[in-house]
């Protein structure tokens, strides 16, 4: 038998390694920006086109590379940052594996321009798929520029796997923010499709945070500073009353490196114990400095997780440092501990009429208008003018002859329908008797389904009604969120929002959908942004479905809301006019039926 084992050619090995290093455009952004920081740059510029799919370029004014180093930098395991294994325990640089440039060059078209301060001429290298295309001397400013074009051009499967531009841009913005927050002493700028997203001058930490997250952040910050033998903790948390329903403004840095650590996050959250209402999370920017030999950065390839020697003690120190600062800045007394938690639900916002959820009545909506569509999407047998109860045909409930005055054509919402057959149980379920037994409807999930289909209809079929605001509303968001809002603006307008100017960190809302109240605008938009960031599994899906889902989640009547008879009926009737009444937009059952036989059985044993 012949020998069959052979060494993989370098370019193949590089492509395989690239799979680990470069998951998406944002990974390239991270590696290039970190290289610029390691090169001691004081000014770093990021230029991105098409969410990084066509171009990612990082230009720095760092120390540059010699001609030989420029060529070597693309070799695998070529690094200037460690020489021996022990150096791993004394890392002061971001990189050390020496594989980023090699990996990136294996799966893209790369152009490197670099010059050291003491050189007259610099070098320009072009590499495509690990192959050196050209190397020449050029005149170029001191520092380095790496342009990465057509990422994954030679791995179509990976390229097709990339998500929508909105999502990939979001990842890039996150990466940029993390690096920029870790290094306030470096100036950063960021351009996307020729638009300036950020232009951050050197400053202190507070200035950097404010520059990234918007000027209103300033008044919210509570400083933290604690020095112990084990760790120095610096940074800020935001006052509890500014806690958000989203978790995306939680940043830990260890030795200037962004990390994720659920355990430390818990330490901070527990310091806020009793200061936050349910579903709210503290915002924090915490910088831990620990001896380099007390951590192991090597445990995760993309290096956002690290292992500490003495995590328990760290937990205790962190928790007490945060508690101490919250106390010292006297933020506790201004909190209203008696606040009724239900006031946090959109239907019960302070200052709004809390007992009457507004169920949208769309009298024009005719669920039967598209017969073809119906037969595919609606599993139950349907006829014109049928009663909703008969929709149970096809369920295992036989012989339903239950009659109701309510029919599609005779006014579902007729005021005179007094002999209602619905009850509300535990402010959670709507119960009704049907011939075959009993139906239990989950009010929250059912309303989600109703709203979801209404929003979808509004977005896809026609423009929704909009109510003009008497006084346009000015809302501030951080710049990254503004980028996102711009992308979904059209969809938002199709469901009834109306926007005026969208500035750097503010948007002007001129109108809103008829079925929401003004105080709901901010939470709704925040939730929507959060949902988009948290991402949709389907790749290049438009936001339409996600938006409808998010809005229905935000606006659906909550469990715990008392409903009067008319509201109960509205939900029942509208639910069974839905195309898919049996499940919520998130796939949960909206109702169950209990057969009379089953009830009988319970009495007979
Ligand atoms: P690592 O950062 O792990 O060393 P990279 O593949 O990212 O590996 O980079 C390889 C080497 O190229 C670095 O060690 C450094 O010497 C050099 N290099 C990369 N980017 C720059 C830059 N922007 N400025 C100067 N030198 C750089
Ligand atoms: Mg590197």
């Amino acid at each position: 038998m012949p020998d069959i084992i052979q060494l993989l050619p370098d370019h193949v090995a590089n492509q395989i390694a690239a799979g680990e290093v470069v998951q998406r455009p944002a990974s390239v952004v991270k590696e290039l920006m970190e290289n610029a920081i390691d090169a001691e740059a004081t000014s770093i510029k990021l230029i991105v086109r098409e969410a990084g799919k066509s171009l990612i370029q990082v230009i720095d004014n760092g120390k540059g590379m010699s001609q030989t180093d420029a060529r070597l930098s693309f070799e695998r395991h070529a690094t200037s940052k460690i020489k021996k294994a022990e150096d791993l325990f004394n890392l002061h640089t971001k990189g050390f594996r020496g594989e980023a440039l090699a990996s990136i060059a294996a799966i893209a078209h790369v152009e490197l321009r670099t010059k050291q301060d003491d050189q007259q001429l610099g070098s320009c290298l072009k590499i495509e798929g690990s192959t050196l295309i050209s190397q020449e001397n050029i005149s170029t400013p001191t520092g380095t520029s790496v342009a990465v074009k057509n990422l994954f051009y030679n791995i179509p499967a990976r390229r097709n796997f990339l998500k929508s531009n909105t999502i990939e841009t979001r990842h890039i913005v996150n990466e940029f923010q993390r690096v920029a927050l870790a290094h306030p002493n470096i100036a950063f700028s960021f351009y996307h499709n020729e638009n300036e997203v950020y232009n951050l001058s050197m400053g202190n930490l507070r200035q950097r945070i404010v520059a990234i997250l918007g000027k209103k952040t300033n008044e919210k910050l509570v400083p933290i500073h604690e020095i112990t033998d084990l760790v120095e903790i610096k940074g800020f948390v935001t006052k509890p009353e500014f806690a958000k329903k989203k978790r995306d403004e939680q940043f830990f840095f260890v030795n200037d490196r962004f990390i994720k650590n659920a355990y430390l996050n818990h330490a901070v959250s527990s310091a806020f114990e009793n200061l936050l209402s349910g579903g709210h999370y503290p915002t924090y920017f915490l910088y831990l400095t620990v001896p380099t030999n007390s951590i192991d950065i090597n445990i995760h390839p993309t290096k956002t997780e690290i292992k500490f020697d003495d995590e328990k003690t760290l937990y205790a120190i962190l928790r007490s440092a945060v508690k101490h600062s919250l106390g010292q800045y006297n933020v506790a007394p201004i909190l209203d501990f008696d606040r009724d938690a239900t006031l946090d639900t959109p239907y019960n916002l302070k200052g709004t009429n809390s007992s009457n959820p507004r169920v949208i009545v769309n009298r024009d909506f005719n669920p039967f208008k598209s017969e073809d569509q119906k037969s595919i999407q609606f599993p139950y047998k349907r006829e014109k003018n049928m009663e909703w109860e008969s929709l149970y045909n096809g369920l295992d409930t036989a012989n339903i002859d239950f009659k109701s005055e309510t029919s599609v054509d005779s006014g579902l919402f007729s005021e005179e329908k007094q002999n209602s057959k619905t009850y509300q149980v535990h402010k959670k379920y709507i119960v009704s008797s049907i011939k075959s037994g009993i139906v239990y409807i989950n009010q929250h999930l059912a309303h989600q389904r109703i709203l979801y289909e209404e929003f979808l209809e509004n977005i896809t079929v026609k423009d929704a009604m909009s109510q003009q605001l008497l006084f346009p509303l000015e809302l501030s968001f951080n710049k990254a969120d503004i980028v996102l809002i711009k992308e979904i603006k059209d969809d938002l307008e199709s469901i009834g929002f109306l926007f005026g100017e969208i500035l750097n960190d503010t948007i002007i809302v001129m109108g809103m959908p008829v079925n929401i109240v003004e105080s709901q605008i901010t939470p709704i938009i925040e939730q929507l942004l959060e949902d988009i960031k948290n991402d949709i599994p389907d790749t290049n899906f438009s936001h339409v479905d996600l938006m409808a889902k998010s809005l229905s989640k935000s606006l659906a009547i909550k469990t715990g809301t008392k409903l009067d008879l008319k509201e109960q009926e509205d939900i029942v009737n509208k639910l069974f006019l839905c195309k898919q009444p049996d499940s919520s937009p998130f796939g949960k059952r909206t109702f169950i039926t209990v057969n009379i036989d089953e009830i009988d059985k319970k009495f007979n044993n």
Side-chain angles (χ1 to χ4, degrees), residues 88-101:
L88 274 176
F89 302 97
N90 189 23
L91 277 175
H92 293 279
T93 54
K94 309 269 170 198
F96 56 88
R97 295 164 170 264
E99 48 186 18
L101 286 185

Side-chain angles (χ1 to χ4, degrees), residues 31-32 35-36 38-39 60 63-65 73 78-81 95-102 114 144 146:
E31 294 295 340
L32 297 184
N35 278 349
D38 285 344
D60 69 54
K63 60 188 176 195
M65 283 179 265
S73 67
T79 179
S80 55
K81 299 168 194 174
F96 56 88
R97 295 164 170 264
E99 48 186 18
L101 286 185
T114 188
T144 303
V146 183

Side-chain angles (χ1 to χ4, degrees), residues 428-549:
K428 189 172 184 185
Y429 299 109
I430 301 169
V431 182
S432 183
S433 152
I434 48 174
K435 175 70 191 296
S436 66
I438 298 174
V439 57
Y440 295 84
I441 297 170
N442 181 312
Q443 65 185 47
H444 176 62
L445 297 176
H447 197 212
Q448 275 189 1
R449 162 57 58 183
I450 296 165
L451 291 175
Y452 170 71
E453 293 200 6
E454 283 180 351
F455 279 123
L456 270 190
E457 164 106 354
N458 281 335
I459 300 173
T460 52
V461 178
K462 57 174 188 231
D463 280 344
M465 298 273 284
S466 179
Q467 47 178 332
Q468 290 263 343
L469 288 169
L470 211 50
F471 304 102
L473 211 61
E474 194 181 318
L475 304 178
S476 58
F477 287 93
N478 71 48
K479 283 188 186 170
D481 284 346
I482 296 280
V483 173
L484 203 52
I485 290 172
K486 279 187 184 157
E487 297 218 18
I488 56 172
K489 178 170 171 263
D490 286 352
D491 285 337
L492 283 172
E493 294 200 322
S494 68
I495 58 165
F497 281 99
L498 259 178
F499 295 103
E501 245 181 320
I502 298 191
L503 303 165
N504 248 347
D505 56 3
T506 33
I507 58 173
I508 311 286
V509 182
M510 321 267 291
M512 61 188 184
V514 284
N515 54 323
I516 71 172
V517 295
E518 203 173 313
S519 53
Q520 292 173 314
I521 293 178
T522 312
I524 286 173
I525 295 181
E526 275 181 0
Q527 182 66 52
L528 183 60
L529 295 177
E530 178 71 357
D531 286 340
I532 292 178
K533 284 181 228 166
N534 284 344
D535 192 7
I536 322 120
D538 312 81
T539 37
N540 290 315
F541 234 49
S542 78
H543 293 306
V544 170
D545 188 64
L546 178 84
M547 279 180 53
K549 277 188 177 147

Side-chain angles (χ1 to χ4, degrees), residues 33 37 174-186 188 198 200 205 208-209 212 253 287:
M33 288 182 66
I37 291 164
N174 281 346
E175 226 37 274
F176 177 88
Q177 287 186 343
R178 291 166 181 177
V179 176
L181 280 170
H183 298 277
N185 52 345
I186 299 176
F188 289 94
Y198 283 112
L200 311 168
L205 184 53
R208 177 56 51 92
I209 293 171
I212 290 182
F253 301 90
Y287 296 71

Side-chain angles (χ1 to χ4, degrees), residues 240-241 275 326-327 329-337:
E241 67 266 34
L275 295 179
L326 287 175
Y329 278 79
N330 226 0
V331 289
I334 54 170
L335 289 171
D336 177 8
F337 285 99

